[in-house]
């Protein structure tokens, strides 16, 4: 784990612990994906969106892109919305979009394409843990 500026990723301007995927799974027979944890793989950022234990089979063939289809991770899209964007229930979003609420960030983890934001639909969003 290393602490770096996420400023190389559009819109995120805070320090965060980014967990390099290959180092996280190295020499492990299973691994727990952690909701809210920030991962990097092949130059992309991923966010854990649900507790998911992966066994040795998935460790050897898997990568974060495989786990986005399980809804265990979301790949950062580069889009960050302010909470004020969500003025109605049908605002366009994609899995991997972020919403900034005060100093906190939430990642959209649902398979849908509209939302009314993390305050009104907390089950569709995962708070991500960024160190400020």
């Amino acid at each position: 784990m290393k602490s770096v500026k996420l400023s190389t990723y559009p819109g995120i301007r805070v320090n965060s612990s980014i967990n390099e995927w290959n180092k996280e799974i190295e020499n492990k027979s299973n691994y727990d994906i952690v909701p809210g944890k920030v991962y990097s793989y092949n130059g992309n950022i991923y966010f854990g969106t649900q507790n998911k234990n992966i066994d040795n089979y998935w460790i050897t063939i898997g990568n974060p892109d495989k786990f986005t289809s399980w809804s265990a991770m979301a790949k950062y899209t580069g889009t960050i919305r302010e909470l004020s964007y969500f003025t109605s229930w049908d605002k366009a979003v994609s899995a991997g979009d972020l919403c900034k609420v005060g100093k906190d960030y939430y990642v959209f983890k649902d398979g849908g394409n509209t939302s009314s934001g993390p305050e009104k639909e907390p089950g569709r969003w995962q708070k991500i843990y960024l160190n400020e």
Side-chain angles (χ1 to χ4, degrees), residues 27-42:
N27 300 319
K28 294 193 175 149
S29 59
N30 62 46
Y31 181 77
D32 290 318
I33 295 172
V34 178
K37 194 169 184 175
V38 183
Y39 300 90
S40 69
Y41 178 76
N42 279 351

Side-chain angles (χ1 to χ4, degrees), residues 80-94 97-101 106 108 113-121 125:
I80 299 178
R81 306 277 187 204
E82 295 290 332
L83 187 59
S84 60
Y85 170 76
F86 296 98
T87 57
S88 65
W89 66 270
D90 61 348
K91 291 298 188 174
V93 291
S94 297
D97 286 359
L98 298 183
C99 179
K100 186 174 184 207
V101 180
Y106 294 80
F108 188 65
N113 59 7
T114 60
S115 177
S116 57
E119 288 188 335
K120 293 181 183 171
E121 296 182 297
W125 295 82

Side-chain angles (χ1 to χ4, degrees), residues 38 42 50 52 64 66 72 75 103-104 114 128-130:
V38 183
N42 279 351
Q50 71 169 282
K52 183 73 175 175
K66 297 266 188 209
K75 186 176 185 177
K103 291 184 177 185
D104 295 325
T114 60
I128 56 176
Y129 298 100
L130 301 173

